[in-house]
Amino acid sequence: MPQPNGGDLLVALLRDLGVDTVFGVVSVHNLPLVEAVDRDLRFVPVRHEATAVNAADGHGRARGGLGCALTSTGTGAGNAAGSLIESLSTGSRVLHITGQIDSAHLGAGRGFIHETRDQLGMLRAVSSHAATVPDAASAGAVLRAAAAHALGPAGGPASVEWPIDLQYAAQDPTALPAAPAPAEPPLPAPAALDEAARLLAAARRPLLWAGGGATAAGPELAALLAEVNAGLLTSNSGRGAVPEDHDRCVGNFATTPAGRELLADADLLMSVGTHFRSNETADWSLRLPAVHVQIDHDPAALGRSYPAALTLHGDAATTLTALRQRLAAAPSTGGRAADGAWTARVRDAREEVRAALRDQIGPQAAICDAIRAALPRTAVIARDVTVPASSWGNRLLEIYAPHTNVFPRGGGIGQGLGMGIGAALAHPDTPSLVMAGDGGLAVHLGELLTLAQERPRLTLVVFNDGGYGVLRNMQDRYFDRRSGVDLATPDFAALAHATGLPYARIAAPDDAAPILTAATAGDGPTLVEVDLTALGPMKTPFTPPVALPAAR
């Protein structure tokens, strides 16, 4: 038997972490790692390093754990950088292992094949943690520290560059360092919790706002929602913390007219784990109630985007539990459950924002309904940056659990298919769906071959409008001409045939339900093209909430 090497060490770590699938591109500078993973776990050979990270990201989000990507040194690591930025902006848990040239030549600048200047510096710029394996004896500790960082409270991608000679070096996988004990979640000071409970108990028109930091605290959030008779707004990242068919979940509609009115009339807002991103607050022009109680595990986030009357530095689940305990122990001051009109108002706002958006999107409402009806509540819906996703997929298409809500939070186009492949392989027995545009899909068109090869139970819905529809709408609205938005589009039926994928086309609202029901019922992938020209335009063209200083 050959002596175990770095690949066996990596496999031992991944097994210990419960990771059974790794995404990557094989290279002479990561061959021992790929060989071991492919032998003992599952290695998914994607066609581009950016997709390796996106797929690992989607896999980790869908499983609620760590995703792993393998890339090569130099250009390979550089190709991964954009997707690492997505993971960094999201705080998703990705372990990125990339090759490096032989340690004897590292830093010499001699032009060794695949060498790049200061690769570690590049990785540090796009990762929350980055390190180099300095010698064979340190490899296990470096890998363990990187994984611990990715799994820590802040999350984000952890990158490790591993010189190829040290990958081949002998290792003892049984000597892998033990995982560090998890840190105790932060809990606010008792006095701050007492004051927050007092404010909640006194509020007659309370709202909660759930962000990505609330997704691990869904039961606690739902219990507090009922305890104080509040309405619930969410960011895009917070969707599914409470199922969106809950009658007091208004959802990701804060900047709509009805959402703004609700905020204006609320006498308290408690935000949980949200950073109030620009596109969800109209560049922070959204007005919040004067009494704003903010909960976040990141102390730097407290008061950063909006002032808060009271800040609570704490883990969402433990903080919400502590608040409910105080509310249960305290006598009511007349606020809790006292204003039945507010509950009705929240429900009316919930219906109003959905009806308004449904009217605006016209014939695409039939596709939204068909997707939701065809998929089980536990199905992952991955959404690339495209007009349907940005207009209704991120709002009207109901999400019932956080792990099903996969999308590029950093706003980068072209990442949806990779994320969807990773997420689909995390739940192989449940159908998954990707919403992509023809422009975004073209960024990584080669991943159709990954889809055909791996055959996840994934329906790829491509909305074809012949280019970059979001930017086209902006240019049509604000400028005198179009620039760079009208693109050549492939014959998707022929493309599907060439890659061995089943194909269907939606050209009218009545096509949506039967086609999507059949596609999602299959046991493998299907490409469904939505011909937006044939389907007909939205009643109101979608333009993103981005301020344009030069707009006419």
Side-chain angles (χ1 to χ4, degrees):
M1 293 292 291
Q3 189 169 11
N5 61 25
D8 300 286
L9 184 69
L10 177 61
V11 166
L13 174 74
L14 295 176
R15 281 177 167 162
D16 187 63
L17 296 169
V19 176
D20 58 8
T21 304
V22 177
F23 305 85
V25 177
V26 66
S27 161
V28 296
H29 282 129
N30 66 14
L31 192 55
L33 310 181
V34 170
E35 189 277 331
V37 168
D38 189 52
R39 182 190 66 228
D40 294 333
L41 303 173
R42 181 177 186 177
F43 179 72
V44 177
V46 298
R47 272 53 179 181
H48 194 278
E49 291 87 355
T51 301
V53 175
N54 285 143
D57 189 339
H59 194 263
R61 293 191 207 187
R63 292 176 71 246
L66 185 73
C68 183
L70 294 180
T71 66
S72 184
T73 188
T75 304
N79 285 344
S83 297
L84 289 169
I85 291 173
E86 162 59 27
S87 177
L88 182 65
S89 68
T90 302
S92 52
R93 308 183 190 287
V94 173
L95 178 62
H96 169 226
I97 310 296
T98 193
Q100 184 52 282
I101 66 172
D102 294 72
S103 56
H105 303 292
L106 191 58
R110 296 170 179 164
F112 200 94
I113 185 171
H114 295 176
E115 180 181 12
T116 188
R117 184 179 64 183
D118 194 16
Q119 177 173 285
L120 184 61
M122 176 186 70
L123 294 173
R124 283 174 174 155
V126 295
S127 306
S128 59
H129 171 88
T132 303
V133 174
D135 51 61
S138 304
V142 171
L143 292 173
R144 179 64 84 180
H149 195 99
L151 291 167
S159 293
V160 174
E161 59 170 12
W162 200 342
I164 184 61
D165 58 314
L166 302 181
Q167 294 177 38
Y168 279 110
Q171 292 286 348
D172 179 4
T174 65
L176 184 73
E184 287 294 323
L187 185 65
L193 288 167
D194 291 342
E195 177 62 7
R198 185 191 70 78
L199 291 171
L200 275 171
R204 295 179 62 83
R205 299 181 303 281
L207 285 175
L208 306 181
W209 184 318
T215 54
E220 294 83 359
L221 188 67
L224 185 65
L225 190 68
E227 179 80 17
V228 299
N229 270 357
L232 178 65
L233 295 168
T234 73
S235 69
N236 203 2
S237 300
R239 299 181 66 200
V242 172
E244 289 189 325
D245 54 355
H246 191 292
D247 65 353
R248 272 178 278 166
C249 178
V250 180
N252 185 26
F253 288 93
T255 57
T256 63
R260 289 175 182 270
E261 291 173 7
L262 206 60
L263 282 163
D265 290 344
D267 60 2
L268 176 142
L269 174 69
M270 174 172 283
S271 62
V272 185
T274 182
H275 290 178
F276 295 108
R277 295 174 185 265
S278 62
N279 59 326
E280 292 165 340
T281 59
D283 290 341
W284 302 286
S285 65
L286 189 68
R287 296 179 65 87
L288 303 189
V291 182
H292 172 207
V293 179
Q294 184 178 10
I295 300 171
D296 207 288
H297 75 86
D298 179 6
L302 297 170
R304 179 169 56 195
S305 296
Y306 279 96
L310 180 65
T311 59
L312 301 176
H313 173 217
D315 166 77
T318 54
T319 300
L320 293 175
T321 297
L323 284 174
R324 286 194 60 235
Q325 291 170 344
R326 282 164 168 77
L327 287 170
S332 173
T333 58
R336 278 182 285 168
D339 197 338
W342 180 244
T343 302
R345 173 79 186 285
V346 167
R347 290 171 177 156
D348 288 345
R350 168 187 162 78
E351 298 305 317
E352 180 181 343
V353 295
R354 283 161 174 75
L357 181 52
R358 178 174 292 277
D359 180 64
Q360 291 167 16
I361 64 176
Q364 293 190 27
I367 300 173
C368 177
D369 294 343
I371 289 174
R372 190 62 276 174
L375 293 171
R377 294 174 71 91
T378 57
V380 171
I381 303 175
R383 307 179 301 284
D384 201 358
V385 178
T386 186
V387 169
S390 299
S391 57
W392 53 265
N394 292 342
R395 293 175 177 82
L396 189 63
L397 182 60
E398 285 187 345
I399 296 293
Y400 305 123
H403 81 273
T404 69
N405 182 35
V406 174
F407 67 99
R409 298 178 193 179
I413 194 170
Q415 302 181 89
L417 178 55
M419 288 182 166
I421 289 172
L425 292 176
H427 298 283
D429 297 327
T430 304
S432 299
L433 184 139
V434 168
M435 295 174 60
D438 59 294
L441 184 64
V443 175
H444 291 300
L445 202 59
E447 302 308 336
L448 289 178
L449 297 171
T450 305
L451 189 62
Q453 179 170 320
E454 299 300 318
R455 299 197 55 78
R457 194 176 173 189
L458 176 65
T459 300
L460 171 59
V461 182
V462 183
F463 293 85
N464 182 8
D465 63 359
Y468 296 139
V470 172
L471 292 164
R472 179 190 293 140
N473 289 346
M474 290 178 67
Q475 291 179 6
D476 288 350
R477 178 175 178 180
Y478 295 115
F479 299 98
D480 296 326
R481 63 189 302 273
R482 294 180 180 177
S483 302
V485 296
D486 296 317
L487 306 175
T489 298
D491 180 332
F492 282 104
L495 187 62
H497 177 74
T499 54
L501 293 170
Y503 168 83
R505 174 174 172 264
I506 295 174
D510 289 345
D511 296 341
I515 286 176
L516 289 169
T517 298
T520 56
D523 60 359
T526 298
L527 192 159
V528 175
E529 177 187 3
V530 180
D531 186 335
L532 290 173
T533 300
L535 186 69
M538 289 183 175
K539 183 176 180 180
T540 305
F542 173 79
T543 56
V546 177
L548 298 178
R552 65 188 180 202

